[in-house]
Amino acid sequence: MDRMASGWINGFIGVVIFSGSLPATRVAVMQFDPVFLTVARAAIAGFLALGLLIAFREKRPRRGDILSLAVVALGVVVGFPLLTALALQHVTSAHSIVFIGLLPLATAIFGVIRGGERPKPAFWAFSVLGSALVAGFALIQGLTASPVGDLLMLAAVIVCGLGYAEGGRLSRTLGGWQVISWALVLPVTVAVALFHRPATFTGIETPALLGLAYVSLFSMLIGFIFWYRGLSQGGIAAVGQLQLLQPFFGLALAATLLHEPVTWAMLAVTVAVILCVAGARRFAR
């Protein structure tokens, strides 16, 4: 299997895993404080990542990699989880999933800035059109939904795109699972998690605990192992377009597991954006 095909397969697996993140966060945040949920998922994943690093006797990152790892940590370990947890207090996971349609464009922009990639002009035309559809939908829905939730989701997309691109760039030399493992070890999350922990876990229902377990193990660690490997192998801008499949999977989960309404408008925007990104993918390189 060539490197490009391997990149797309790894990226696809990562997207499938990430698709459950927002529904799982929605369930968990119903009973957990958003700040606690953010630091707890990072702390749990951090302990597991530290175990991997010790077990495989990985060398410490070079001094020049520390800043990049800090950017990854701020983007995907702290920024995106916290902002989405706060947003999901105002909007449903089905509504928030539509914003994932902006992630490929954000990732591609930062891929150019940080990764040195140069997609063709037609790529940007398709990507901007798809993003405009998502932004227009969010603006219309925001009038009847929650502008605060929408702004939080927009900020989450920006910091996540930066974290994805920086991690994909760093994975070329450091390795995919090593990047997310070191990024998880960097933040001091255990102390913050203990400070913000609930006074008692009595009354915390199983769905919330399962939501915390999913975002800690799969969203925060396993998904990134495949995702960063895919970005490094197939290209940040190109493989990043796979994120447009995430709304499909996420909306299905929101409807089946959480019984949230999925409107025809949501489906129409998702389909239209995916068609745009299919065109963008053709001109990614």
Side-chain angles (χ1 to χ4, degrees):
M1 183 182 300
D2 61 37
R3 184 176 177 83
M4 178 64 71
S6 179
W8 281 94
I9 292 173
N10 280 301
F12 179 79
I13 295 173
V15 165
V16 171
I17 293 173
F18 290 152
S19 297
S21 298
L22 291 178
T25 300
R26 172 69 171 174
V27 172
V29 82
M30 289 180 178
Q31 293 192 289
F32 288 117
D33 175 76
V35 175
F36 170 76
L37 180 63
T38 299
V39 294
R41 64 189 281 182
I44 294 170
F47 272 118
L48 296 174
L50 182 60
L52 287 174
L53 292 170
I54 293 174
F56 288 95
R57 299 180 180 179
E58 288 294 317
K59 296 180 180 180
R60 294 182 180 180
R62 296 174 300 178
R63 183 176 299 179
D65 294 333
I66 299 301
L67 180 58
S68 291
L69 286 171
V71 171
V72 174
L74 289 174
V76 301
V77 177
V78 178
F80 184 77
L82 178 59
L83 290 168
T84 53
L86 292 171
L88 287 168
Q89 291 186 317
H90 302 277
V91 298
T92 65
S93 63
H95 180 84
S96 67
I97 284 168
V98 179
F99 280 83
I100 302 302
L102 294 171
L103 258 178
L105 180 59
T107 304
I109 290 174
F110 286 115
V112 170
I113 296 173
R114 296 295 302 153
E117 299 188 354
R118 294 293 182 269
K120 298 177 181 178
F123 167 87
W124 297 110
F126 280 110
S127 292
V128 170
L129 177 58
S131 298
L133 289 171
V134 174
F137 172 81
L139 180 62
I140 294 173
Q141 293 295 309
L143 296 176
T144 56
S146 171
V148 173
D150 287 349
L151 288 174
L152 287 168
M153 281 303 304
L154 182 60
V157 164
I158 293 173
V159 299
C160 188
L162 174 58
Y164 279 172
E166 192 69 22
R169 184 191 68 82
L170 193 57
S171 295
R172 297 169 184 168
T173 56
L174 196 59
W177 73 267
Q178 291 91 337
V179 168
I180 189 58
S181 294
W182 284 115
L184 284 165
V185 170
L186 283 180
V188 183
T189 54
V190 176
V192 182
L194 291 174
F195 180 79
H196 285 277
R197 73 184 188 281
T200 176
F201 282 87
T202 303
I204 301 295
E205 298 176 357
T206 300
L209 294 173
L210 290 176
L212 173 60
Y214 187 91
V215 296
S216 301
L217 181 59
F218 291 95
S219 304
M220 201 83 270
L221 182 60
I222 296 176
F224 277 106
I225 292 175
F226 290 101
W227 182 241
Y228 278 149
R229 183 173 176 79
L231 291 178
S232 66
Q233 291 177 326
I236 296 170
V239 175
Q241 304 309 303
L242 283 170
Q243 294 167 104
L244 264 296
L245 295 174
Q246 193 167 328
F248 269 136
F249 299 135
L251 288 173
L253 287 171
T256 57
L257 298 181
L258 304 182
H259 306 292
E260 293 183 352
V262 177
T263 66
W264 284 109
M266 290 179 183
L267 292 175
V269 170
T270 301
V271 171
V273 171
I274 288 178
L275 290 175
C276 289
V277 176
R281 174 183 171 274
R282 182 178 180 183
F283 300 99
R285 287 189 171 185

